[in-house]
Amino acid sequence: MRFATWNVNSVKARLPRLLEWLDGTKPDVVCLQETKVPADGFPSAEVGELGYAVAAYGQGRWNGVALLSRVGLADVRNGFPGEPGFPDPEARYIGALCGDIRVISVYVPNGRTPEDPHYAYKLDWLSALRATLASSVRDGPLIIAGDFNVAPTDDDVWDPAVFVGSTHVTPPERAALAAIRDLGLRDIVGRPLKGDRPFTYWDYRAGMFHMNKGMRIDLVLATPDLADQVTDAVIDREARKGKGPSDHAPIVVDLDYSIKSV
């Protein structure tokens, strides 16, 4: 099985690149984030021509998540019980059964600054996510992946001194993420294609990508029954290159796991 996750930062703007990438990489299941289209605006027909069933959850120009699957797509759930809003729930969570695997795509709130109300919303959202995941993780197999907007450690940012006082690295955010992992999930870290830092995001500002001044904020968390079967995990840095890229790179994970129909 080949799994991938990618914050595309607008599926319409990135559609030609996405289709080319899907055709070349051929993942069986894909989590997408920041699609920035309503559900009925997602390019399901174009993606479907490559053999993917689509489940999309969106709200127009902001947020948005989706699942693409070539191995089945059932029991789709948009949002989760107890999910906080800002002020209303946003399109940040979609889950479904892909064969016998529960797959969840998330786009965690950014937080903006530690003084902003959006930061408290982020922490509340992560806490509520942990509560809703508890039983699902116990039942397994499960993958939750996407843009968590949290760098787990100082090693996951290019220069910790630059981020002092910023979101993505504060102790409460990292503790909230660690509490989710502590349910029994493993962090599958992709190997970088350049350098020794597994960054997944680079700011659009000139030179940040080429100087590899990035962050690891896109994550793949899996239950042990899946994590034990991982044969390779790669951050596809090539997809961040070229004209009009997303500011995130996909993570591609290969598993020696045969998906069972349900």
Side-chain angles (χ1 to χ4, degrees):
M1 172 197 175
R2 172 165 282 184
F3 169 85
T5 183
W6 193 4
N7 178 326
V8 291
N9 191 9
S10 175
V11 70
K12 285 189 174 180
R14 239 59 69 188
L15 183 58
R17 296 180 64 109
L18 174 63
L19 295 175
E20 181 181 17
W21 180 83
L22 288 171
D23 191 43
T25 306
K26 295 180 171 53
D28 298 296
V29 179
V30 184
C31 292
L32 297 179
Q33 303 86 43
E34 212 172 350
T35 55
K36 296 183 178 180
V37 292
D40 58 5
F42 192 92
S44 299
E46 294 91 329
V47 171
E49 290 180 2
L50 296 175
Y52 291 95
V54 175
Y57 179 35
Q59 60 183 102
R61 295 182 300 135
W62 313 107
N63 308 317
V65 284
L67 294 170
L68 316 180
S69 176
R70 301 196 299 182
V71 295
L73 197 58
D75 191 23
V76 176
R77 302 177 188 179
N78 296 339
F80 57 88
E83 181 179 4
F86 195 74
D88 300 316
E90 299 175 316
R92 295 185 175 276
Y93 172 110
I94 188 169
L97 281 173
C98 298
D100 62 327
I101 302 175
R102 171 65 61 180
V103 179
I104 301 167
S105 178
V106 294
Y107 178 46
V108 174
N110 179 283
R112 300 176 183 167
T113 71
E115 297 76 32
D116 194 288
H118 207 260
Y119 179 79
Y121 164 52
K122 179 179 189 174
L123 296 179
D124 289 345
W125 199 94
L126 286 167
S127 177
L129 176 64
R130 184 190 188 280
T132 202
L133 282 175
S135 60
S136 299
V137 170
R138 285 195 301 268
D139 295 340
L142 177 143
I143 295 176
I144 178 168
D147 181 355
F148 280 78
N149 270 317
V150 181
T153 71
D154 280 353
D155 287 338
D156 295 308
V157 297
W158 65 274
D159 183 356
V162 172
F163 293 90
V164 171
S166 301
T167 56
H168 297 61
V169 301
T170 65
E173 291 168 284
R174 287 177 168 171
L177 176 61
I180 290 171
R181 291 198 310 266
D182 288 346
L183 290 171
L185 294 165
R186 294 190 194 166
D187 185 358
I188 299 171
V189 182
R191 58 182 174 88
L193 295 182
K194 178 181 179 181
D196 60 354
R197 310 289 290 277
F199 299 146
T200 62
Y201 163 84
W202 300 261
D203 193 282
Y204 279 129
R205 287 177 294 175
M208 297 293 281
F209 176 65
H210 299 289
M211 292 185 290
N212 205 27
K213 293 183 175 181
M215 308 173 71
R216 185 174 80 95
I217 56 176
D218 303 89
L219 308 174
V220 178
L221 307 179
T223 48
D225 46 3
L226 295 176
D228 285 342
Q229 305 303 317
V230 172
T231 58
D232 198 10
V234 178
I235 298 165
D236 187 359
R237 196 174 185 277
E238 295 299 309
R240 177 62 174 78
K241 295 180 178 179
K243 183 179 179 181
S246 170
D247 44 2
H248 296 251
I251 305 170
V252 181
V253 180
D254 289 325
L255 304 96
D256 185 15
Y257 185 89
S258 297
I259 295 176
K260 305 173 185 66
S261 60
V262 293

